[in-house]
Short mmCIF file of all heavy atoms in Angstrom, two decimals:
data_model
loop_
_atom_site.label_atom_id
_atom_site.label_comp_id
_atom_site.label_asym_id
_atom_site.label_seq_id
_atom_site.Cartn_x
_atom_site.Cartn_y
_atom_site.Cartn_z
N MET A 1 0.69 10.01 29.23
CA MET A 1 -0.08 10.83 28.32
C MET A 1 -0.93 9.98 27.38
O MET A 1 -1.72 10.54 26.66
CB MET A 1 0.90 11.66 27.53
CG MET A 1 1.68 12.65 28.28
SD MET A 1 2.71 13.67 27.26
CE MET A 1 1.59 15.04 26.98
N GLY A 2 -0.80 8.70 27.36
CA GLY A 2 -1.59 7.84 26.48
C GLY A 2 -1.06 7.68 25.11
O GLY A 2 -1.70 7.01 24.27
N LEU A 3 0.12 8.18 24.82
CA LEU A 3 0.72 8.05 23.49
C LEU A 3 1.47 6.71 23.43
O LEU A 3 2.35 6.47 24.22
CB LEU A 3 1.69 9.19 23.19
CG LEU A 3 2.38 9.17 21.87
CD1 LEU A 3 1.35 9.34 20.73
CD2 LEU A 3 3.43 10.27 21.78
N VAL A 4 1.12 5.90 22.41
CA VAL A 4 1.77 4.60 22.25
C VAL A 4 2.44 4.64 20.87
O VAL A 4 1.79 4.88 19.86
CB VAL A 4 0.74 3.48 22.31
CG1 VAL A 4 1.37 2.13 22.06
CG2 VAL A 4 0.02 3.48 23.63
N LEU A 5 3.71 4.33 20.86
CA LEU A 5 4.44 4.31 19.60
C LEU A 5 4.21 3.02 18.87
O LEU A 5 4.01 1.98 19.50
CB LEU A 5 5.93 4.47 19.89
CG LEU A 5 6.37 5.80 20.49
CD1 LEU A 5 7.86 5.75 20.83
CD2 LEU A 5 6.09 6.92 19.57
N PRO A 6 4.20 3.04 17.55
CA PRO A 6 3.98 1.84 16.80
C PRO A 6 5.19 0.87 16.91
O PRO A 6 6.29 1.33 17.19
CB PRO A 6 3.81 2.31 15.36
CG PRO A 6 4.42 3.57 15.32
CD PRO A 6 4.34 4.20 16.70
N SER A 7 4.94 -0.40 16.68
CA SER A 7 6.01 -1.39 16.70
C SER A 7 7.01 -1.15 15.49
O SER A 7 6.62 -0.54 14.51
CB SER A 7 5.45 -2.80 16.72
OG SER A 7 4.90 -3.10 15.42
N VAL A 8 8.11 -1.83 15.55
CA VAL A 8 9.07 -1.74 14.47
C VAL A 8 8.49 -2.37 13.21
O VAL A 8 8.66 -1.83 12.09
CB VAL A 8 10.38 -2.45 14.86
CG1 VAL A 8 11.30 -2.59 13.68
CG2 VAL A 8 11.03 -1.75 16.00
N TRP A 9 7.76 -3.48 13.36
CA TRP A 9 7.16 -4.12 12.19
C TRP A 9 6.04 -3.29 11.57
O TRP A 9 5.86 -3.36 10.32
CB TRP A 9 6.62 -5.53 12.54
CG TRP A 9 7.80 -6.43 12.78
CD1 TRP A 9 8.17 -6.94 13.99
CD2 TRP A 9 8.73 -6.87 11.85
NE1 TRP A 9 9.31 -7.72 13.82
CE2 TRP A 9 9.65 -7.70 12.51
CE3 TRP A 9 8.85 -6.67 10.49
CZ2 TRP A 9 10.70 -8.29 11.83
CZ3 TRP A 9 9.92 -7.35 9.82
CH2 TRP A 9 10.83 -8.08 10.50
N TYR A 10 5.39 -2.44 12.34
CA TYR A 10 4.37 -1.54 11.80
C TYR A 10 5.06 -0.51 10.86
O TYR A 10 4.60 -0.21 9.81
CB TYR A 10 3.59 -0.85 12.88
CG TYR A 10 2.48 0.01 12.39
CD1 TYR A 10 1.24 -0.53 12.20
CD2 TYR A 10 2.70 1.36 12.06
CE1 TYR A 10 0.17 0.28 11.77
CE2 TYR A 10 1.69 2.12 11.52
CZ TYR A 10 0.44 1.59 11.41
OH TYR A 10 -0.60 2.37 10.92
N VAL A 11 6.15 0.06 11.40
CA VAL A 11 6.88 1.08 10.63
C VAL A 11 7.43 0.47 9.37
O VAL A 11 7.38 1.06 8.29
CB VAL A 11 8.01 1.70 11.49
CG1 VAL A 11 8.85 2.65 10.69
CG2 VAL A 11 7.38 2.42 12.70
N VAL A 12 8.03 -0.75 9.49
CA VAL A 12 8.56 -1.44 8.28
C VAL A 12 7.48 -1.67 7.29
O VAL A 12 7.68 -1.43 6.08
CB VAL A 12 9.26 -2.76 8.69
CG1 VAL A 12 9.61 -3.58 7.48
CG2 VAL A 12 10.52 -2.47 9.53
N GLY A 13 6.34 -2.16 7.75
CA GLY A 13 5.24 -2.41 6.81
C GLY A 13 4.73 -1.12 6.16
O GLY A 13 4.39 -1.10 4.96
N ALA A 14 4.59 -0.03 6.95
CA ALA A 14 4.10 1.22 6.39
C ALA A 14 5.05 1.73 5.32
O ALA A 14 4.64 2.20 4.26
CB ALA A 14 3.96 2.23 7.49
N ILE A 15 6.36 1.66 5.55
CA ILE A 15 7.32 2.08 4.57
C ILE A 15 7.31 1.19 3.33
O ILE A 15 7.28 1.66 2.19
CB ILE A 15 8.74 2.13 5.16
CG1 ILE A 15 8.79 3.23 6.19
CG2 ILE A 15 9.78 2.32 4.06
CD1 ILE A 15 10.08 3.24 7.04
N LEU A 16 7.26 -0.14 3.52
CA LEU A 16 7.24 -1.08 2.42
C LEU A 16 6.04 -0.92 1.51
O LEU A 16 6.12 -0.79 0.32
CB LEU A 16 7.30 -2.50 2.97
CG LEU A 16 7.21 -3.66 1.95
CD1 LEU A 16 8.52 -3.72 1.17
CD2 LEU A 16 6.93 -4.95 2.64
N PHE A 17 4.82 -0.85 2.15
CA PHE A 17 3.65 -0.71 1.38
C PHE A 17 3.51 0.69 0.79
O PHE A 17 2.87 0.85 -0.28
CB PHE A 17 2.43 -1.09 2.17
CG PHE A 17 2.39 -2.56 2.54
CD1 PHE A 17 2.29 -3.02 3.84
CD2 PHE A 17 2.50 -3.52 1.55
CE1 PHE A 17 2.32 -4.32 4.16
CE2 PHE A 17 2.54 -4.87 1.81
CZ PHE A 17 2.42 -5.32 3.16
N GLY A 18 4.08 1.69 1.44
CA GLY A 18 4.06 3.01 0.87
C GLY A 18 4.89 3.13 -0.42
O GLY A 18 4.48 3.70 -1.42
N VAL A 19 6.06 2.50 -0.38
CA VAL A 19 6.90 2.44 -1.56
C VAL A 19 6.22 1.63 -2.67
O VAL A 19 6.24 2.05 -3.88
CB VAL A 19 8.33 1.89 -1.23
CG1 VAL A 19 9.13 1.56 -2.51
CG2 VAL A 19 9.06 2.80 -0.34
N ALA A 20 5.64 0.49 -2.34
CA ALA A 20 4.94 -0.30 -3.36
C ALA A 20 3.79 0.50 -3.94
O ALA A 20 3.55 0.46 -5.13
CB ALA A 20 4.43 -1.58 -2.73
N GLY A 21 3.06 1.21 -3.10
CA GLY A 21 1.96 2.06 -3.57
C GLY A 21 2.45 3.14 -4.50
O GLY A 21 1.80 3.42 -5.53
N TYR A 22 3.59 3.71 -4.21
CA TYR A 22 4.16 4.74 -5.13
C TYR A 22 4.48 4.09 -6.44
O TYR A 22 4.24 4.74 -7.54
CB TYR A 22 5.37 5.40 -4.49
CG TYR A 22 5.95 6.48 -5.32
CD1 TYR A 22 5.31 7.70 -5.49
CD2 TYR A 22 7.15 6.28 -5.99
CE1 TYR A 22 5.86 8.69 -6.31
CE2 TYR A 22 7.72 7.25 -6.75
CZ TYR A 22 7.08 8.46 -6.96
OH TYR A 22 7.63 9.45 -7.71
N ILE A 23 5.08 2.94 -6.47
CA ILE A 23 5.41 2.24 -7.70
C ILE A 23 4.15 1.98 -8.54
O ILE A 23 4.10 2.19 -9.73
CB ILE A 23 6.19 0.95 -7.43
CG1 ILE A 23 7.57 1.30 -6.87
CG2 ILE A 23 6.32 0.07 -8.67
CD1 ILE A 23 8.33 0.13 -6.31
N PHE A 24 3.12 1.43 -7.87
CA PHE A 24 1.84 1.15 -8.56
C PHE A 24 1.20 2.43 -9.08
O PHE A 24 0.64 2.47 -10.18
CB PHE A 24 0.88 0.38 -7.66
CG PHE A 24 1.35 -1.04 -7.36
CD1 PHE A 24 1.33 -1.46 -6.07
CD2 PHE A 24 1.79 -1.86 -8.36
CE1 PHE A 24 1.74 -2.78 -5.75
CE2 PHE A 24 2.20 -3.15 -8.07
CZ PHE A 24 2.17 -3.60 -6.80
N TYR A 25 1.28 3.52 -8.28
CA TYR A 25 0.74 4.78 -8.71
C TYR A 25 1.42 5.31 -9.94
O TYR A 25 0.79 5.72 -10.92
CB TYR A 25 0.88 5.79 -7.56
CG TYR A 25 0.50 7.21 -7.91
CD1 TYR A 25 -0.84 7.61 -8.01
CD2 TYR A 25 1.46 8.14 -8.17
CE1 TYR A 25 -1.19 8.90 -8.29
CE2 TYR A 25 1.13 9.44 -8.53
CZ TYR A 25 -0.19 9.81 -8.55
OH TYR A 25 -0.52 11.07 -8.90
N ARG A 26 2.77 5.29 -9.94
CA ARG A 26 3.49 5.80 -11.11
C ARG A 26 3.24 4.94 -12.36
O ARG A 26 3.10 5.46 -13.47
CB ARG A 26 5.01 5.79 -10.81
CG ARG A 26 5.40 6.72 -9.70
CD ARG A 26 5.41 8.11 -10.22
NE ARG A 26 6.38 8.19 -11.28
CZ ARG A 26 6.84 9.30 -11.84
NH1 ARG A 26 6.44 10.45 -11.36
NH2 ARG A 26 7.70 9.30 -12.80
N HIS A 27 3.14 3.61 -12.18
CA HIS A 27 2.88 2.73 -13.30
C HIS A 27 1.47 3.01 -13.85
O HIS A 27 1.23 3.04 -15.04
CB HIS A 27 3.00 1.26 -12.88
CG HIS A 27 2.60 0.27 -13.94
ND1 HIS A 27 3.37 0.09 -15.07
CD2 HIS A 27 1.53 -0.52 -14.08
CE1 HIS A 27 2.83 -0.81 -15.80
NE2 HIS A 27 1.70 -1.20 -15.26
N GLY A 28 0.49 3.23 -12.97
CA GLY A 28 -0.86 3.53 -13.41
C GLY A 28 -0.94 4.86 -14.15
O GLY A 28 -1.68 4.97 -15.13
N ARG A 29 -0.20 5.86 -13.69
CA ARG A 29 -0.20 7.15 -14.35
C ARG A 29 0.48 7.02 -15.74
O ARG A 29 0.01 7.60 -16.71
CB ARG A 29 0.57 8.20 -13.53
CG ARG A 29 -0.09 8.59 -12.28
CD ARG A 29 -1.05 9.74 -12.45
NE ARG A 29 -0.43 10.84 -13.20
CZ ARG A 29 -0.42 12.08 -12.88
NH1 ARG A 29 -0.94 12.43 -11.74
NH2 ARG A 29 0.13 12.99 -13.60
N ALA A 30 1.56 6.25 -15.79
CA ALA A 30 2.26 6.14 -17.09
C ALA A 30 1.49 5.34 -18.12
O ALA A 30 1.56 5.64 -19.33
CB ALA A 30 3.59 5.41 -16.87
N THR A 31 0.64 4.40 -17.66
CA THR A 31 -0.15 3.55 -18.56
C THR A 31 -1.58 4.03 -18.69
O THR A 31 -2.37 3.40 -19.37
CB THR A 31 -0.09 2.08 -18.16
OG1 THR A 31 -0.58 1.94 -16.83
CG2 THR A 31 1.29 1.53 -18.27
N LYS A 32 -1.95 5.11 -17.97
CA LYS A 32 -3.28 5.68 -17.93
C LYS A 32 -4.30 4.62 -17.50
O LYS A 32 -5.35 4.43 -18.20
CB LYS A 32 -3.60 6.23 -19.32
CG LYS A 32 -2.72 7.44 -19.64
CD LYS A 32 -3.16 8.10 -20.92
CE LYS A 32 -2.37 9.28 -21.33
NZ LYS A 32 -1.13 9.57 -20.75
N ARG A 33 -4.02 3.96 -16.41
CA ARG A 33 -4.94 2.93 -15.91
C ARG A 33 -5.37 3.36 -14.46
O ARG A 33 -4.63 3.27 -13.50
CB ARG A 33 -4.21 1.59 -15.87
CG ARG A 33 -3.92 1.15 -17.26
CD ARG A 33 -3.17 -0.10 -17.36
NE ARG A 33 -3.76 -1.18 -16.65
CZ ARG A 33 -3.13 -2.19 -16.07
NH1 ARG A 33 -1.83 -2.23 -16.17
NH2 ARG A 33 -3.73 -3.10 -15.42
N PRO A 34 -6.62 3.83 -14.34
CA PRO A 34 -7.09 4.32 -13.07
C PRO A 34 -7.09 3.27 -11.96
O PRO A 34 -6.93 3.64 -10.76
CB PRO A 34 -8.52 4.82 -13.31
CG PRO A 34 -8.71 4.70 -14.75
CD PRO A 34 -7.61 3.96 -15.39
N VAL A 35 -7.29 2.01 -12.27
CA VAL A 35 -7.29 1.00 -11.22
C VAL A 35 -5.94 0.94 -10.53
O VAL A 35 -5.86 0.88 -9.29
CB VAL A 35 -7.64 -0.41 -11.87
CG1 VAL A 35 -7.45 -1.46 -10.78
CG2 VAL A 35 -9.07 -0.38 -12.33
N MET A 36 -4.84 1.01 -11.27
CA MET A 36 -3.53 0.99 -10.69
C MET A 36 -3.26 2.27 -9.92
O MET A 36 -2.63 2.23 -8.87
CB MET A 36 -2.48 0.80 -11.77
CG MET A 36 -2.49 -0.52 -12.47
SD MET A 36 -2.16 -1.89 -11.37
CE MET A 36 -0.46 -1.64 -11.05
N VAL A 37 -3.74 3.41 -10.45
CA VAL A 37 -3.50 4.67 -9.76
C VAL A 37 -4.17 4.67 -8.42
O VAL A 37 -3.55 4.97 -7.33
CB VAL A 37 -4.04 5.87 -10.58
CG1 VAL A 37 -4.02 7.15 -9.79
CG2 VAL A 37 -3.21 6.00 -11.88
N TRP A 38 -5.41 4.28 -8.36
CA TRP A 38 -6.16 4.34 -7.09
C TRP A 38 -5.77 3.22 -6.12
O TRP A 38 -5.76 3.41 -4.88
CB TRP A 38 -7.66 4.27 -7.33
CG TRP A 38 -8.13 5.56 -7.91
CD1 TRP A 38 -8.56 5.74 -9.18
CD2 TRP A 38 -8.17 6.83 -7.25
NE1 TRP A 38 -8.82 7.09 -9.38
CE2 TRP A 38 -8.64 7.78 -8.22
CE3 TRP A 38 -7.85 7.25 -5.98
CZ2 TRP A 38 -8.78 9.12 -7.88
CZ3 TRP A 38 -8.02 8.60 -5.69
CH2 TRP A 38 -8.48 9.50 -6.62
N THR A 39 -5.27 2.08 -6.63
CA THR A 39 -4.72 1.07 -5.72
C THR A 39 -3.39 1.57 -5.12
O THR A 39 -3.17 1.39 -3.92
CB THR A 39 -4.48 -0.21 -6.50
OG1 THR A 39 -5.70 -0.66 -7.11
CG2 THR A 39 -4.01 -1.30 -5.55
N GLY A 40 -2.59 2.26 -5.90
CA GLY A 40 -1.38 2.84 -5.37
C GLY A 40 -1.67 3.92 -4.34
O GLY A 40 -1.00 3.96 -3.26
N VAL A 41 -2.62 4.75 -4.53
CA VAL A 41 -3.01 5.73 -3.57
C VAL A 41 -3.51 5.08 -2.27
O VAL A 41 -3.17 5.49 -1.19
CB VAL A 41 -4.10 6.71 -4.17
CG1 VAL A 41 -4.71 7.59 -3.06
CG2 VAL A 41 -3.53 7.55 -5.24
N ALA A 42 -4.33 4.07 -2.41
CA ALA A 42 -4.83 3.31 -1.22
C ALA A 42 -3.68 2.75 -0.46
O ALA A 42 -3.62 2.80 0.77
CB ALA A 42 -5.81 2.24 -1.67
N LEU A 43 -2.66 2.14 -1.15
CA LEU A 43 -1.56 1.57 -0.47
C LEU A 43 -0.73 2.62 0.25
O LEU A 43 -0.16 2.34 1.32
CB LEU A 43 -0.66 0.81 -1.46
CG LEU A 43 -0.99 -0.62 -1.71
CD1 LEU A 43 -0.24 -1.16 -2.93
CD2 LEU A 43 -0.65 -1.44 -0.49
N MET A 44 -0.61 3.81 -0.31
CA MET A 44 0.12 4.86 0.34
C MET A 44 -0.56 5.48 1.54
O MET A 44 0.07 5.90 2.50
CB MET A 44 0.48 5.99 -0.66
CG MET A 44 1.49 5.56 -1.69
SD MET A 44 2.05 6.94 -2.75
CE MET A 44 0.61 7.10 -3.83
N LEU A 45 -1.90 5.48 1.52
CA LEU A 45 -2.66 6.22 2.57
C LEU A 45 -3.26 5.36 3.67
O LEU A 45 -3.51 5.88 4.72
CB LEU A 45 -3.74 7.07 1.94
CG LEU A 45 -3.28 8.15 1.00
CD1 LEU A 45 -4.46 8.90 0.39
CD2 LEU A 45 -2.37 9.12 1.79
N TYR A 46 -3.49 4.10 3.43
CA TYR A 46 -4.23 3.26 4.40
C TYR A 46 -3.47 3.09 5.74
O TYR A 46 -4.13 2.96 6.78
CB TYR A 46 -4.66 1.89 3.90
CG TYR A 46 -3.62 0.82 3.97
CD1 TYR A 46 -3.63 -0.03 5.10
CD2 TYR A 46 -2.65 0.68 2.99
CE1 TYR A 46 -2.65 -1.00 5.18
CE2 TYR A 46 -1.70 -0.31 3.11
CZ TYR A 46 -1.68 -1.15 4.19
OH TYR A 46 -0.74 -2.07 4.29
N PRO A 47 -2.15 3.15 5.82
CA PRO A 47 -1.51 3.01 7.11
C PRO A 47 -1.90 4.13 8.12
O PRO A 47 -1.84 3.96 9.31
CB PRO A 47 -0.02 3.13 6.84
CG PRO A 47 0.12 2.60 5.43
CD PRO A 47 -1.12 3.12 4.70
N TYR A 48 -2.34 5.25 7.63
CA TYR A 48 -2.82 6.29 8.51
C TYR A 48 -4.15 5.97 9.15
O TYR A 48 -4.50 6.57 10.20
CB TYR A 48 -3.02 7.65 7.75
CG TYR A 48 -1.65 8.18 7.26
CD1 TYR A 48 -1.32 8.05 5.91
CD2 TYR A 48 -0.75 8.75 8.13
CE1 TYR A 48 -0.11 8.58 5.48
CE2 TYR A 48 0.45 9.21 7.70
CZ TYR A 48 0.76 9.14 6.35
OH TYR A 48 1.97 9.64 5.88
N ALA A 49 -4.91 5.04 8.62
CA ALA A 49 -6.22 4.69 9.16
C ALA A 49 -6.22 3.38 9.95
O ALA A 49 -7.19 3.08 10.62
CB ALA A 49 -7.21 4.55 8.00
N VAL A 50 -5.13 2.63 9.91
CA VAL A 50 -5.05 1.34 10.61
C VAL A 50 -4.08 1.43 11.74
O VAL A 50 -2.96 1.95 11.57
CB VAL A 50 -4.55 0.28 9.56
CG1 VAL A 50 -4.38 -1.06 10.27
CG2 VAL A 50 -5.55 0.14 8.44
N SER A 51 -4.46 0.97 12.92
CA SER A 51 -3.58 1.06 14.09
C SER A 51 -2.98 -0.26 14.46
O SER A 51 -1.98 -0.31 15.22
CB SER A 51 -4.36 1.66 15.26
OG SER A 51 -5.46 0.80 15.61
N GLU A 52 -3.53 -1.37 14.07
CA GLU A 52 -2.98 -2.69 14.44
C GLU A 52 -2.00 -3.18 13.37
O GLU A 52 -2.22 -3.05 12.16
CB GLU A 52 -4.12 -3.68 14.54
CG GLU A 52 -5.14 -3.37 15.62
CD GLU A 52 -4.54 -3.53 17.02
OE1 GLU A 52 -3.69 -4.40 17.16
OE2 GLU A 52 -4.97 -2.82 17.91
N THR A 53 -0.90 -3.77 13.83
CA THR A 53 0.18 -4.22 12.95
C THR A 53 -0.33 -5.36 12.02
O THR A 53 -0.06 -5.34 10.85
CB THR A 53 1.40 -4.69 13.76
OG1 THR A 53 1.81 -3.58 14.60
CG2 THR A 53 2.51 -5.08 12.86
N TRP A 54 -1.06 -6.30 12.57
CA TRP A 54 -1.52 -7.39 11.78
C TRP A 54 -2.53 -6.95 10.67
O TRP A 54 -2.48 -7.49 9.58
CB TRP A 54 -2.17 -8.50 12.61
CG TRP A 54 -3.43 -8.13 13.28
CD1 TRP A 54 -3.60 -7.55 14.50
CD2 TRP A 54 -4.76 -8.35 12.77
NE1 TRP A 54 -4.93 -7.35 14.76
CE2 TRP A 54 -5.64 -7.82 13.72
CE3 TRP A 54 -5.25 -8.88 11.59
CZ2 TRP A 54 -7.06 -7.88 13.56
CZ3 TRP A 54 -6.60 -8.91 11.42
CH2 TRP A 54 -7.46 -8.40 12.38
N MET A 55 -3.29 -5.94 10.98
CA MET A 55 -4.20 -5.41 9.96
C MET A 55 -3.44 -4.70 8.85
O MET A 55 -3.80 -4.77 7.65
CB MET A 55 -5.24 -4.46 10.60
CG MET A 55 -6.31 -5.19 11.36
SD MET A 55 -7.52 -4.05 12.13
CE MET A 55 -8.17 -3.25 10.68
N LEU A 56 -2.40 -3.98 9.22
CA LEU A 56 -1.56 -3.27 8.27
C LEU A 56 -0.99 -4.26 7.28
O LEU A 56 -1.04 -4.01 6.05
CB LEU A 56 -0.45 -2.51 8.98
CG LEU A 56 0.54 -1.85 8.03
CD1 LEU A 56 0.11 -0.41 7.85
CD2 LEU A 56 1.97 -1.94 8.55
N TRP A 57 -0.43 -5.38 7.75
CA TRP A 57 0.17 -6.35 6.89
C TRP A 57 -0.85 -7.11 6.03
O TRP A 57 -0.64 -7.38 4.88
CB TRP A 57 0.98 -7.33 7.69
CG TRP A 57 2.30 -6.75 8.08
CD1 TRP A 57 2.58 -6.04 9.24
CD2 TRP A 57 3.52 -6.70 7.31
NE1 TRP A 57 3.87 -5.57 9.24
CE2 TRP A 57 4.45 -5.98 8.09
CE3 TRP A 57 3.90 -7.22 6.11
CZ2 TRP A 57 5.77 -5.76 7.60
CZ3 TRP A 57 5.15 -7.02 5.64
CH2 TRP A 57 6.09 -6.28 6.43
N MET A 58 -2.01 -7.43 6.61
CA MET A 58 -3.06 -8.16 5.86
C MET A 58 -3.64 -7.29 4.74
O MET A 58 -3.78 -7.76 3.61
CB MET A 58 -4.19 -8.63 6.81
CG MET A 58 -3.75 -9.68 7.72
SD MET A 58 -3.05 -11.07 6.88
CE MET A 58 -4.09 -12.33 7.41
N ILE A 59 -3.97 -6.05 5.06
CA ILE A 59 -4.52 -5.19 4.02
C ILE A 59 -3.47 -4.87 3.01
O ILE A 59 -3.74 -4.80 1.79
CB ILE A 59 -5.04 -3.89 4.67
CG1 ILE A 59 -6.24 -4.22 5.60
CG2 ILE A 59 -5.42 -2.85 3.67
CD1 ILE A 59 -6.69 -3.04 6.42
N GLY A 60 -2.21 -4.67 3.47
CA GLY A 60 -1.14 -4.40 2.48
C GLY A 60 -0.89 -5.52 1.54
O GLY A 60 -0.72 -5.32 0.32
N PHE A 61 -0.90 -6.76 2.03
CA PHE A 61 -0.72 -7.94 1.15
C PHE A 61 -1.91 -8.05 0.17
O PHE A 61 -1.70 -8.36 -0.96
CB PHE A 61 -0.59 -9.22 1.95
CG PHE A 61 0.76 -9.49 2.47
CD1 PHE A 61 0.99 -9.81 3.78
CD2 PHE A 61 1.86 -9.42 1.62
CE1 PHE A 61 2.26 -10.07 4.26
CE2 PHE A 61 3.15 -9.65 2.11
CZ PHE A 61 3.36 -9.97 3.44
N ALA A 62 -3.11 -7.82 0.67
CA ALA A 62 -4.27 -7.94 -0.18
C ALA A 62 -4.26 -6.86 -1.29
O ALA A 62 -4.49 -7.20 -2.51
CB ALA A 62 -5.56 -7.78 0.62
N LEU A 63 -3.96 -5.63 -0.95
CA LEU A 63 -3.91 -4.56 -1.95
C LEU A 63 -2.76 -4.79 -2.92
O LEU A 63 -2.88 -4.55 -4.15
CB LEU A 63 -3.80 -3.22 -1.35
CG LEU A 63 -5.06 -2.65 -0.67
CD1 LEU A 63 -4.73 -1.41 0.11
CD2 LEU A 63 -6.10 -2.38 -1.73
N SER A 64 -1.63 -5.28 -2.41
CA SER A 64 -0.48 -5.53 -3.30
C SER A 64 -0.75 -6.68 -4.25
O SER A 64 -0.35 -6.63 -5.44
CB SER A 64 0.76 -5.84 -2.45
OG SER A 64 1.14 -4.73 -1.71
N ALA A 65 -1.41 -7.69 -3.78
CA ALA A 65 -1.78 -8.84 -4.64
C ALA A 65 -2.71 -8.42 -5.69
O ALA A 65 -2.63 -8.80 -6.86
CB ALA A 65 -2.38 -9.98 -3.77
N TRP A 66 -3.70 -7.57 -5.31
CA TRP A 66 -4.68 -7.07 -6.30
C TRP A 66 -3.89 -6.24 -7.38
O TRP A 66 -4.17 -6.47 -8.56
CB TRP A 66 -5.68 -6.19 -5.57
CG TRP A 66 -6.53 -5.36 -6.51
CD1 TRP A 66 -6.37 -4.06 -6.81
CD2 TRP A 66 -7.69 -5.82 -7.20
NE1 TRP A 66 -7.36 -3.65 -7.70
CE2 TRP A 66 -8.18 -4.69 -7.95
CE3 TRP A 66 -8.36 -6.98 -7.34
CZ2 TRP A 66 -9.28 -4.80 -8.74
CZ3 TRP A 66 -9.47 -7.11 -8.09
CH2 TRP A 66 -9.94 -5.99 -8.82
N ALA A 67 -3.05 -5.36 -6.98
CA ALA A 67 -2.31 -4.52 -7.95
C ALA A 67 -1.39 -5.39 -8.82
O ALA A 67 -1.26 -5.16 -10.01
CB ALA A 67 -1.52 -3.46 -7.21
N PHE A 68 -0.73 -6.37 -8.20
CA PHE A 68 0.14 -7.27 -8.99
C PHE A 68 -0.66 -8.06 -10.01
O PHE A 68 -0.20 -8.31 -11.13
CB PHE A 68 0.89 -8.17 -8.09
CG PHE A 68 1.93 -9.02 -8.74
CD1 PHE A 68 3.13 -8.42 -9.23
CD2 PHE A 68 1.74 -10.38 -8.94
CE1 PHE A 68 4.06 -9.21 -9.87
CE2 PHE A 68 2.67 -11.17 -9.57
CZ PHE A 68 3.85 -10.56 -10.04
N ALA A 69 -1.85 -8.51 -9.66
CA ALA A 69 -2.71 -9.25 -10.58
C ALA A 69 -3.15 -8.37 -11.71
O ALA A 69 -3.32 -8.85 -12.84
CB ALA A 69 -3.90 -9.84 -9.87
N LYS A 70 -3.35 -7.10 -11.49
CA LYS A 70 -3.84 -6.17 -12.51
C LYS A 70 -2.69 -5.52 -13.28
O LYS A 70 -2.95 -4.73 -14.21
CB LYS A 70 -4.67 -5.05 -11.84
CG LYS A 70 -5.91 -5.54 -11.20
CD LYS A 70 -6.88 -5.95 -12.22
CE LYS A 70 -8.20 -6.39 -11.57
NZ LYS A 70 -9.17 -6.81 -12.50
N TRP A 71 -1.45 -5.82 -12.99
CA TRP A 71 -0.30 -5.12 -13.57
C TRP A 71 -0.28 -5.23 -15.11
O TRP A 71 -0.08 -4.23 -15.76
CB TRP A 71 0.99 -5.69 -12.98
CG TRP A 71 2.25 -5.01 -13.44
CD1 TRP A 71 2.95 -5.27 -14.55
CD2 TRP A 71 2.88 -3.91 -12.75
NE1 TRP A 71 4.02 -4.43 -14.61
CE2 TRP A 71 4.03 -3.61 -13.56
CE3 TRP A 71 2.63 -3.20 -11.60
CZ2 TRP A 71 4.88 -2.55 -13.20
CZ3 TRP A 71 3.49 -2.23 -11.25
CH2 TRP A 71 4.60 -1.92 -12.05
N ASN A 72 -0.50 -6.41 -15.65
CA ASN A 72 -0.39 -6.60 -17.11
C ASN A 72 -1.71 -6.80 -17.80
O ASN A 72 -1.75 -7.19 -18.95
CB ASN A 72 0.47 -7.81 -17.43
CG ASN A 72 1.93 -7.56 -17.12
OD1 ASN A 72 2.39 -6.45 -17.33
ND2 ASN A 72 2.66 -8.54 -16.65
N GLN A 73 -2.81 -6.49 -17.15
CA GLN A 73 -4.09 -6.62 -17.81
C GLN A 73 -4.50 -5.44 -18.59
O GLN A 73 -4.26 -4.34 -18.39
CB GLN A 73 -5.18 -6.96 -16.78
CG GLN A 73 -5.06 -8.35 -16.24
CD GLN A 73 -6.21 -8.71 -15.33
OE1 GLN A 73 -7.05 -7.84 -14.97
NE2 GLN A 73 -6.27 -9.93 -14.93
#
């Protein structure tokens, strides 16, 4: 049928970055910082648009590093 299931590491990454995105989203809402809110939303939603495992991890690390750098600014 052409249906290919994602790898275990893809699922782990999607869950990990989804939880991190939720944490950044909640922190952004609590501190009224739109950069954190939108970075959290991006972390939660981008796995739906990426099909390669290596891209999922690279984008996730980049977005998480960006949000971590902006956490106390």
Side-chain angles (χ1 to χ4, degrees):
M1 296 183 92
L3 179 65
V4 178
L5 296 175
S7 70
V8 172
W9 289 110
Y10 185 91
V11 174
V12 168
I15 292 170
L16 177 72
F17 293 125
V19 169
Y22 182 72
I23 291 169
F24 292 132
Y25 172 79
R26 295 285 299 193
H27 177 71
R29 292 272 310 231
T31 58
K32 296 186 179 13
R33 295 176 54 209
V35 171
M36 293 297 289
V37 170
W38 289 110
T39 305
V41 169
L43 272 167
M44 289 187 284
L45 295 179
Y46 86 93
Y48 294 106
V50 176
S51 61
E52 297 291 328
T53 304
W54 67 271
M55 285 180 60
L56 176 95
W57 283 91
M58 293 304 238
I59 294 170
F61 277 131
L63 286 172
S64 297
W66 168 261
F68 186 72
K70 297 290 182 179
W71 185 273
N72 287 325
Q73 286 185 354

